């Protein structure tokens, strides 16, 4: 059976190497006579998997000892609540940059827990761009500034992160973590649901600066306090062991590709294939994102009539392309080209777009 041309937005394509590795070890993991799923999370065999995932992530992102790397559950969506629960104190205000639906949802949860303020918004512009953010618009006593580094639904991405801030910077990186080299030191908390660029759904990675941990109130429920995970190496309760194992395989694969510099280069090539076709098409394809805010992970576009968009999606589906429908809230088309989507699959899609344009 051949593998699908998978452009799903999340859960999304995984590296074939990681899947085959998991398959080969499924019944007998490293001589244990059982699968990773059947190991005790207190065993030394599982401990090795768990710690390897952490150290691979530390090494790929050059994460210093000033940060904790945590594995949680509940998806990025639970982080929308946990971030303000742990970091937003009475009398403080948390600032949110509104660049798409996920940032709106993050803000909505924070509003339930404390004082918030939207600092920039491209909503009036249908979230086509990432507006410039003036760091002096955030008061020094703010709880934090929250951004969404890649807007999965609208297809926009921050290319320069806010600098010169006097307050902690928190980022939802669910759909672009590990797509390029990152200076973690610019951030105080990074979170990401795994199912786009890191592995299967069910694991959420949190990278948090240690000095922020002191902010969490002791009154918080145990499982909603970052300190519980930091103190127990994310093993206070049963972690999603199989997901963390697959995460470790995906991280090994990223390393085999040459790390984040090499990954960024391939991602640039993949994105250029699709954006070049959009730009050359003279309005046949209309990119949703403004050029300087384009995402290398989610390429969003429409055709010049609903009829044409529909016909494109139908024919693409017949040709074997999966997941090209835009998010149900915005329609149109979206090609999600995360790290694990092979270059040759994107070449095939670019060719399909060219052929469709000539024949339509
Ligand atoms: C997918 C996504 C989410 C939601 O993730 P869940 O793990 O389903 O909660 C949040 N933020 C961004 C940027 C996403 O792409």
């Amino acid at each position: 059976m051949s593998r699908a041309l998978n452009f799903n937005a999340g859960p999304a394509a995984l590296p074939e190497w990681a899947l085959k590795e998991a398959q080969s070890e499924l019944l007998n993991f490293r001589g244990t006579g059982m699968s990773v799923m059947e190991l005790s999370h207190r065993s030394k065999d599982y401990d090795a998997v768990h710690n390897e995932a952490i150290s691979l992530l530390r090494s790929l992102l050059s994460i210093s000892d000033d940060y904790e790397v945590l594995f949680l559950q509940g998806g990025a969506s639970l982080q929308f609540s946990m971030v303000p629960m742990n970091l937003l104190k009475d009398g403080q205000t948390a600032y949110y940059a509104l660049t798409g639906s996920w940032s709106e949802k993050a803000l909505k949860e924070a509003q339930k827990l404390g004082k918030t303020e939207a600092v920039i918004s491209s909503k009036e512009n249908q979230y086509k761009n990432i507006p410039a953010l003036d760091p002096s618009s955030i008061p020094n006593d703010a709880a934090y500034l929250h951004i969404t580094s890649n807007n999965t639904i609208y297809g926009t991405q921050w290319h320069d992160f806010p600098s010169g801030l006097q307050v902690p910077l928190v980022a939802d990186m669910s759909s672009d973590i590990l797509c390029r080299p990152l200076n973690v030191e610019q951030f105080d908390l990074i979170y990401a649901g795994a199912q786009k660029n890191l592995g299967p759904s069910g694991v959420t990675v949190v990278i948090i600066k240690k000095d922020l941990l002191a902010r969490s109130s002791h009154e918080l429920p145990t499982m909603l306090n970052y300190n519980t995970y930091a103190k127990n190496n994310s093993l206070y309760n049963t972690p999603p062991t199989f997901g963390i194992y697959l995460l470790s395989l995906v991280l090994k694969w990223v390393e085999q590709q040459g790390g984040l510099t090499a990954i960024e280069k391939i991602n640039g090539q993949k994105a250029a294939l699709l954006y070049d076709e959009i730009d050359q098409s003279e309005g046949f394809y209309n990119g949703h994102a403004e050029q300087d805010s384009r995402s290398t992970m989610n390429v969003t576009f429409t055709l010049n009539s609903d009829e044409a968009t529909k016909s494109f999606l139908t024919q693409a589906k017949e040709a074997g392309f999966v997941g090209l429908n835009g998010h149900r809230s915005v329609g149109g088309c979206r090609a999600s080209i995360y790290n694990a989507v092979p270059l040759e699959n994107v070449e095939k899609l670019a060719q399909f777009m060219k052929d469709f344009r000539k024949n339509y």
Side-chain angles (χ1 to χ4, degrees):
M1 198 207 128
S2 66
R3 299 263 299 150
L5 298 165
N6 184 356
F7 293 89
N8 279 336
L14 286 165
E16 197 170 304
W17 176 85
L19 294 174
K20 284 191 168 153
E21 194 72 6
Q23 184 184 44
S24 76
E25 298 186 313
L26 191 64
L27 294 184
N28 183 2
F29 177 73
R30 300 176 196 170
T32 56
M34 56 184 91
S35 85
V36 172
M37 285 178 272
E38 300 167 289
L39 292 173
S40 162
H41 63 293
R42 307 285 174 208
S43 65
K44 69 172 190 340
D45 294 299
Y46 176 71
D47 214 43
V49 172
H50 191 92
N51 290 330
E52 186 175 30
I54 295 171
S55 72
L56 282 165
L57 199 59
R58 280 196 179 276
S59 132
L60 282 168
L61 285 169
S62 307
I63 302 172
S64 79
D65 287 342
D66 294 340
Y67 293 80
E68 295 280 359
V69 174
L70 313 176
F71 297 139
L72 289 84
Q73 301 187 54
S77 300
L78 184 59
Q79 294 312 303
F80 296 165
S81 307
M82 272 183 80
V83 165
M85 275 181 181
N86 283 266
L87 305 184
L88 178 52
K89 298 259 157 206
D90 273 353
Q92 282 187 315
T93 304
Y95 287 73
Y96 280 74
L98 290 188
T99 54
S101 319
W102 293 118
S103 10
E104 281 184 20
K105 285 192 171 158
L107 172 61
K108 195 173 147 222
E109 292 308 309
Q111 283 168 338
K112 297 181 180 186
L113 293 158
K115 257 174 75 185
T116 58
E117 193 99 43
V119 64
I120 51 167
S121 171
S122 48
K123 190 169 186 157
E124 307 277 89
N125 190 28
Q126 289 84 49
Y127 287 129
K128 288 179 180 182
N129 70 317
I130 307 284
L133 188 149
D134 174 8
S136 70
S137 62
I138 319 275
N140 290 353
D141 60 357
Y144 57 84
L145 167 65
H146 179 283
I147 67 167
T148 312
S149 59
N150 184 72
N151 298 281
T152 326
I153 293 171
Y154 293 93
T156 62
Q157 190 173 23
W158 289 74
H159 295 294
D160 296 298
F161 293 116
S163 60
L165 289 171
Q166 303 298 315
V167 306
L169 181 58
V170 175
D172 175 0
M173 292 199 184
S174 294
S175 53
D176 72 345
I177 190 166
L178 298 190
C179 80
R180 57 189 168 187
L182 180 72
N183 177 11
V184 171
E185 304 285 326
Q186 282 181 278
F187 299 88
D188 297 82
L189 193 157
I190 293 168
Y191 64 90
Q195 67 273 23
K196 280 110 185 193
N197 245 354
L198 293 174
S201 60
V203 190
T204 307
V205 169
V206 170
I207 302 165
I208 183 172
K209 206 163 190 185
K210 284 177 181 166
D211 63 17
L212 270 194
L213 288 167
R215 278 205 203 180
S216 310
S217 155
H218 297 293
E219 316 274 287
L220 282 174
T222 309
M223 290 299 287
L224 297 175
N225 188 325
Y226 289 123
N227 287 278
T228 304
Y229 299 84
K231 277 193 197 123
N232 297 283
N233 195 29
S234 304
L235 284 160
Y236 172 78
N237 76 326
T238 319
T241 54
F242 194 69
I244 292 169
Y245 162 67
L246 268 176
L247 166 67
S248 79
L249 294 177
V250 171
L251 298 175
K252 264 185 219 171
W253 174 83
V254 172
E255 204 168 57
Q256 287 165 14
Q257 303 310 297
L260 299 183
T261 309
I263 287 277
E264 178 181 42
K265 198 166 151 229
I266 306 168
N267 283 337
Q269 288 169 355
K270 287 176 353 191
L273 282 167
L274 302 184
Y275 287 123
D276 285 353
E277 169 56 21
I278 289 170
D279 293 340
Q280 281 163 22
S281 75
E282 291 172 344
F284 186 82
Y285 297 112
N286 308 298
H288 180 78
E290 289 179 7
Q291 296 218 4
D292 63 358
S293 301
R294 282 175 166 174
S295 165
T296 57
M297 297 283 100
N298 310 96
V299 179
T300 49
F301 58 96
T302 52
L303 284 78
N304 46 29
S305 70
D306 287 349
E307 189 63 53
T309 303
K310 225 171 129 189
S311 169
F312 174 83
L313 289 169
T314 307
Q315 289 189 34
K317 197 172 170 191
E318 281 163 12
F321 296 96
V322 178
L324 291 177
N325 286 67
H327 188 270
R328 55 200 151 82
S329 62
V330 295
C333 312
R334 168 175 58 173
S336 297
I337 49 173
Y338 301 120
N339 288 354
V341 174
L343 176 64
E344 60 171 299
N345 290 8
V346 183
E347 283 167 351
K348 282 183 188 155
L349 178 58
Q351 188 60 49
F352 176 83
M353 288 171 72
K354 253 185 207 83
D355 294 342
F356 182 87
R357 169 160 62 92
K358 298 217 167 103
N359 298 332
Y360 186 74

